[in-house]
Amino acid sequence: MLPATFKLCAGISYRHTRNMTGLRKNALAAIHHELNRRAGPGSGNWINQVRRRSSFLSSRIEEAEEYSPEEVTYVRQGESALQEAISILGEQEGWTVETVASNGDRVLSKVVAGVGKVFKLEVVVDQPLETLYGELVGNMEQMGDWNPNVKQVKILQKIGADTMVTHEVSGDTPGNVVGPRDFVSVRCAKRRGSTCFLAGKSTQHPGMPEQKGVVRAENGPTCIVLKPDAADPNRTKFTWLLSIDLKGWIPKTIINRVLSQTQVDFANHLRQRMASNVSLEMVPAC
């Protein structure tokens, strides 16, 4: 079924069929149905399919949506971040435990060729996936209200339903060990079966040049993965892959300590946010 689906998608790339709205919609719907069908217990098979087909698929969808060249670049960057993050998270060997909290939250790390040191937070949150997604994506610009490690998040541009460009400003660190940092990132939100992905990496945007007095740091690939707990669908397995270059002359020992603690703190702040009585604006699941 999958090869036939991609042939259908390929058909919309020809000039005489590109403007046939019905065919284009059928192609996208067929792809969505097929990928969802393949997601599930055999997630490894799905990941292999994505690795083989992703660049071809994304290029055809971009043409179908008729994005501008700039928008196509952002979409491709977001897809690339997602693919790279999935590849790293799929590697089970080589992870070293950085810290384990009393509640079972843990941060692991490993050195990845071509990327550097990456950190992985693994926790379980007592909230349904849709609720967490609504907070992390739908209310993204409010993150500075509840996460002291983030001063501000601003959406600079949205491209379609899955891609956006954001500007984030970091909060102060204890003792001001790490000075002000900001990031311009492209983010890609996808759903595969019952799993949601929010991936990202650094980019550039004409609306947000480097700011005076703030170090422009780089990140990516980064990825938050949300998956319902198999034992209780009202709980969510939360995985956060973090890769950051803070720039500047900061000893690696300090960077490692700051980043791993930042992830543990994030999980605690997120739980507090979700447990509060704040009325959250729900958005459709990814």
Side-chain angles (χ1 to χ4, degrees):
M1 176 63 184
L2 192 59
T5 301
F6 279 92
K7 287 179 181 179
L8 175 61
C9 183
I12 66 176
S13 68
Y14 292 103
R15 186 178 303 274
H16 67 282
T17 60
R18 187 172 296 169
N19 295 322
M20 296 175 63
T21 304
L23 177 60
R24 186 167 59 202
K25 289 183 177 179
N26 288 342
L28 295 177
I31 293 166
H32 178 76
H33 172 77
E34 183 65 15
L35 289 177
N36 281 344
R37 184 181 71 81
R38 288 175 177 264
S43 57
N45 291 333
W46 175 82
I47 289 176
N48 290 333
Q49 291 286 348
V50 170
R51 287 171 179 165
R52 289 195 296 267
R53 304 285 188 172
S54 56
S55 60
F56 172 81
L57 172 59
S58 61
S59 66
R60 298 306 182 191
I61 292 178
E62 289 154 14
E63 290 181 19
E65 294 291 343
E66 298 179 351
Y67 292 138
S68 71
E70 179 190 62
E71 291 172 330
V72 168
T73 297
Y74 288 134
V75 170
R76 286 178 172 165
Q77 288 176 349
E79 292 281 355
S80 173
L82 176 60
Q83 295 158 26
E84 191 171 6
I86 287 176
S87 177
I88 294 172
L89 290 171
E91 298 173 1
Q92 301 302 316
E93 303 296 329
W95 293 95
T96 300
V97 176
E98 291 281 341
T99 183
V100 179
S102 58
N103 62 358
D105 294 357
R106 65 176 189 165
V107 176
L108 302 94
S109 69
K110 72 178 300 183
V111 176
V112 178
V115 176
K117 192 165 187 176
V118 300
F119 296 82
K120 179 173 64 170
L121 172 71
E122 296 179 335
V123 306
V124 176
V125 182
D126 292 330
Q127 294 288 335
L129 182 151
E130 288 79 7
T131 304
L132 285 177
Y133 183 83
E135 180 62 42
L136 295 172
V137 179
N139 296 329
M140 182 182 296
E141 292 187 317
Q142 298 178 22
M143 186 176 293
D145 296 341
W146 54 269
N147 183 2
N149 291 319
V150 175
K151 184 174 294 185
Q152 179 184 359
V153 177
K154 180 180 181 181
I155 298 174
L156 302 176
Q157 184 176 351
K158 289 186 176 181
I159 304 100
D162 301 333
T163 308
M164 67 182 73
V165 181
T166 62
H167 178 240
E168 310 97 44
V169 181
S170 67
D172 297 329
T173 58
N176 203 28
V177 174
V178 179
R181 295 303 196 265
D182 75 343
F183 305 83
V184 174
S185 309
V186 59
R187 298 175 183 247
C188 173
K190 295 286 187 180
R191 181 166 190 152
R192 295 295 179 257
S194 61
T195 303
C196 284
F197 300 87
L198 178 60
K201 67 187 302 183
S202 286
T203 190
Q204 296 180 345
H205 192 276
M208 189 55 64
E210 293 191 20
Q211 308 294 298
K212 184 178 181 179
V214 180
V215 176
R216 176 63 51 87
E218 295 183 356
N219 61 37
T222 65
C223 188
I224 289 176
V225 182
L226 305 175
K227 187 174 183 178
D229 188 344
D232 184 354
N234 289 318
R235 306 175 77 208
T236 302
K237 290 185 176 181
F238 180 105
T239 303
W240 177 18
L241 178 71
L242 177 64
S243 171
I244 286 184
D245 182 355
L246 292 174
K247 303 296 184 180
W249 299 95
I250 305 174
K252 289 184 178 180
T253 54
I254 294 179
I255 292 176
N256 293 344
R257 185 173 70 250
V258 168
L259 294 183
S260 59
Q261 187 60 48
T262 294
Q263 288 190 296
V264 172
D265 291 344
F266 179 87
N268 292 331
H269 296 315
L270 178 60
R271 289 190 178 100
Q272 292 172 9
R273 170 70 168 183
M274 304 311 296
S276 70
N277 294 323
V278 177
S279 177
L280 302 178
E281 179 182 356
M282 297 298 295
V283 298
C286 56

PDB file of all heavy atoms in Angstrom, residues 1 79 111 115 187:
ATOM      1  N   MET A   1       0.818  -1.207   0.000  1.00  0.00           N
ATOM      2  CA  MET A   1       0.000   0.000   0.000  1.00  0.00           C
ATOM      3  C   MET A   1       0.855   1.261   0.000  1.00  0.00           C
ATOM      4  O   MET A   1       0.576   2.230  -0.686  1.00  0.00           O
ATOM      5  CB  MET A   1      -0.911  -0.008   1.244  1.00  0.00           C
ATOM      6  CG  MET A   1      -1.751   1.269   1.400  1.00  0.00           C
ATOM      7  SD  MET A   1      -2.889   1.497   0.042  1.00  0.00           S
ATOM      8  CE  MET A   1      -3.590   3.092   0.468  1.00  0.00           C
ATOM      9  N   GLU A  79      11.548  19.371   9.172  1.00  0.00           N
ATOM     10  CA  GLU A  79      11.516  17.940   8.885  1.00  0.00           C
ATOM     11  C   GLU A  79      12.885  17.305   9.154  1.00  0.00           C
ATOM     12  O   GLU A  79      12.986  16.203   9.687  1.00  0.00           O
ATOM     13  CB  GLU A  79      11.109  17.705   7.426  1.00  0.00           C
ATOM     14  CG  GLU A  79       9.673  18.084   7.099  1.00  0.00           C
ATOM     15  CD  GLU A  79       8.684  17.033   7.555  1.00  0.00           C
ATOM     16  OE1 GLU A  79       9.126  15.974   8.035  1.00  0.00           O
ATOM     17  OE2 GLU A  79       7.475  17.282   7.436  1.00  0.00           O
ATOM     18  N   VAL A 111      27.335  11.336  23.488  1.00  0.00           N
ATOM     19  CA  VAL A 111      27.985  12.149  22.467  1.00  0.00           C
ATOM     20  C   VAL A 111      27.628  11.566  21.102  1.00  0.00           C
ATOM     21  O   VAL A 111      27.847  10.378  20.852  1.00  0.00           O
ATOM     22  CB  VAL A 111      29.507  12.191  22.661  1.00  0.00           C
ATOM     23  CG1 VAL A 111      30.166  12.975  21.528  1.00  0.00           C
ATOM     24  CG2 VAL A 111      29.859  12.809  24.011  1.00  0.00           C
ATOM     25  N   VAL A 115      27.072  16.090  16.048  1.00  0.00           N
ATOM     26  CA  VAL A 115      26.138  16.897  16.845  1.00  0.00           C
ATOM     27  C   VAL A 115      26.798  17.377  18.135  1.00  0.00           C
ATOM     28  O   VAL A 115      26.705  18.535  18.525  1.00  0.00           O
ATOM     29  CB  VAL A 115      24.860  16.108  17.179  1.00  0.00           C
ATOM     30  CG1 VAL A 115      23.939  16.930  18.083  1.00  0.00           C
ATOM     31  CG2 VAL A 115      24.124  15.704  15.909  1.00  0.00           C
ATOM     32  N   ARG A 187      10.376  25.021  14.314  1.00  0.00           N
ATOM     33  CA  ARG A 187       9.766  23.911  15.049  1.00  0.00           C
ATOM     34  C   ARG A 187       8.816  23.157  14.134  1.00  0.00           C
ATOM     35  O   ARG A 187       8.091  23.755  13.337  1.00  0.00           O
ATOM     36  CB  ARG A 187       9.003  24.421  16.274  1.00  0.00           C
ATOM     37  CG  ARG A 187       9.886  25.144  17.295  1.00  0.00           C
ATOM     38  CD  ARG A 187       9.041  25.730  18.410  1.00  0.00           C
ATOM     39  NE  ARG A 187       9.819  26.493  19.367  1.00  0.00           N
ATOM     40  CZ  ARG A 187      10.011  26.144  20.637  1.00  0.00           C
ATOM     41  NH1 ARG A 187       9.501  25.009  21.077  1.00  0.00           N
ATOM     42  NH2 ARG A 187      10.708  26.907  21.451  1.00  0.00           N
TER      43      ARG A 187
END
